[in-house]
């Protein structure tokens, strides 16, 4: 548990999300404030490539099991968590091609086009602000689910590969009232039977079944439950 190397720059500001590619040959990191990222060689700890565009205010990263894509949650105009000015106009899931290092698209399950200016300025109206993202593997490397959580609206979205080089929303699960719950992160047990979703606003952690997306338990885990 000791530092084994010098601190290196991420060539941007507000470094946050990190994720290894499935083959462990690359470590990706994104910067929330400058909307860019870097790729690090885990053997040398050196930055080997810079990525100019990974979506607006990219937060958490997840990788597809086949190593084809890196997914980043992108924040919304009204942030529900975080001490920095990390707001964006395209809240959703950024899809980045690992080989080309190019941003394919940003999937917006709940686009801010659905809101008018008064909605975005009204604290009582929940507006999208994506944060948690994770991947459930399937029977094959190209068979998987992307779980993305809109902590602003308090919705869980399940996305699947669309067979055309991107992903699309297949299921939507309400996790409560968007102005109260703020579901923040998502992680799974080792056999991917259950997901645990803590809520920074709701002082609880919800247990959700992976096979049918049902909330089967709510645990009192205290105020500010995070991860």
């Amino acid at each position: 548990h000791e530092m084994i190397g010098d601190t290196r720059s991420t060539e941007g500001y507000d470094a946050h999300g990190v994720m290894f590619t499935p083959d462990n040959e690359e470590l990706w990191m994104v910067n929330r404030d400058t909307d860019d990222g870097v790729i690090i060689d885990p053997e040398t700890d050196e930055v080997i490539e810079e990525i100019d565009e990974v979506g607006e205010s990219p937060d958490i990263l997840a990788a597809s099991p086949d190593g084809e894509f890196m997914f980043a949650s992108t924040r919304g105009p009204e942030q529900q968590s975080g001490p920095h000015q990390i707001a964006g106009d395209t809240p959703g899931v950024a899809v980045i091609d690992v080989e080309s290092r190019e941003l394919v698209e940003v999937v917006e399950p709940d686009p801010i086009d659905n809101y008018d200016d008064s909605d975005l300025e009204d604290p009582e109206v929940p507006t999208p602000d994506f944060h948690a993202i994770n991947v459930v593997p399937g029977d094959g490397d190209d068979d998987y689910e992307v779980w993305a959580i809109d902590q602003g609206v308090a919705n869980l979205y399940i996305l699947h590969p669309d067979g055309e080089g991107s992903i699309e929303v297949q299921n939507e699960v309400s996790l409560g009232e968007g102005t109260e719950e703020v579901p923040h992160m998502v992680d799974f047990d080792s056999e991917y039977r259950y997901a645990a979703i803590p809520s920074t606003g709701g002082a609880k952690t919800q247990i959700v079944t992976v096979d049918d997306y049902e909330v089967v338990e709510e645990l009192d885990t205290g105020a500010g439950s995070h991860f």
Side-chain angles (χ1 to χ4, degrees), residues 34-35 80-81 116 120 149 177 185 190 194 201 205 219 226:
T34 46
D35 306 336
Q80 299 298 320
S81 64
D116 60 31
L120 296 175
I149 292 180
E177 294 295 328
M185 294 293 286
S190 61
Y194 300 99
T205 296
L219 308 176
H226 184 268

Side-chain angles (χ1 to χ4, degrees), residues 30 54 58-62 70-74 92-96 106 133:
V30 292
V54 288
D59 205 301
I60 308 296
L61 287 177
M70 194 69 70
F71 305 109
S73 56
T74 56
V93 178
V95 183
I96 305 112
V106 178
I133 191 167

Side-chain angles (χ1 to χ4, degrees), residues 15-162:
H16 197 67
V18 292
M19 178 59 60
F20 283 97
T21 53
D23 58 12
N24 294 316
E25 292 187 0
E26 295 178 350
L27 174 63
W28 286 48
M29 176 178 287
V30 292
N31 299 305
R32 287 188 296 196
D33 185 42
T34 46
D35 306 336
D36 51 19
V38 293
I39 299 173
I40 300 163
D41 183 338
E43 290 189 359
T44 65
D45 295 330
E46 297 290 344
V47 173
I48 57 175
E49 200 158 353
E50 297 180 24
I51 310 171
D52 294 330
E53 186 180 11
V54 288
E56 290 186 43
S57 194
D59 205 301
I60 308 296
L61 287 177
S64 65
D66 58 9
E68 185 175 359
F69 299 114
M70 194 69 70
F71 305 109
S73 56
T74 56
R75 303 299 295 269
E78 299 293 329
Q79 63 187 44
Q80 299 298 320
S81 64
H84 311 291
Q85 191 61 36
I86 45 177
D89 294 326
T90 55
V93 178
V95 183
I96 305 112
D97 185 284
V98 169
E99 183 176 0
S100 69
R101 321 311 203 187
E102 296 289 333
L103 176 66
V104 176
E105 68 170 325
V106 178
V107 180
E108 298 179 75
D110 190 15
I112 62 170
D113 292 344
N114 295 340
Y115 304 81
D116 60 31
D117 291 341
S118 62
D119 288 339
L120 296 175
E121 295 172 357
D122 186 350
E124 298 301 319
V125 176
T127 54
D129 182 36
F130 280 73
H131 187 271
I133 191 167
N134 213 326
V135 170
V136 176
D139 294 331
D141 286 344
D142 58 352
D143 175 29
Y144 55 88
E145 296 178 345
V146 178
W147 286 42
I149 292 180
D150 182 344
Q151 65 176 355
V153 181
N155 277 348
L156 163 65
Y157 294 97
I158 311 297
L159 303 97
H160 290 248
D162 63 3

Side-chain angles (χ1 to χ4, degrees), residues 1-2 33 54 63-64 98 117 148 166 174 176 180 199 202 204 208 215:
H1 303 296
E2 295 180 0
D33 185 42
V54 288
S64 65
V98 169
D117 291 341
S166 188
S174 174
E180 299 176 4
S199 173
K204 65 185 178 185
V208 180
V215 179

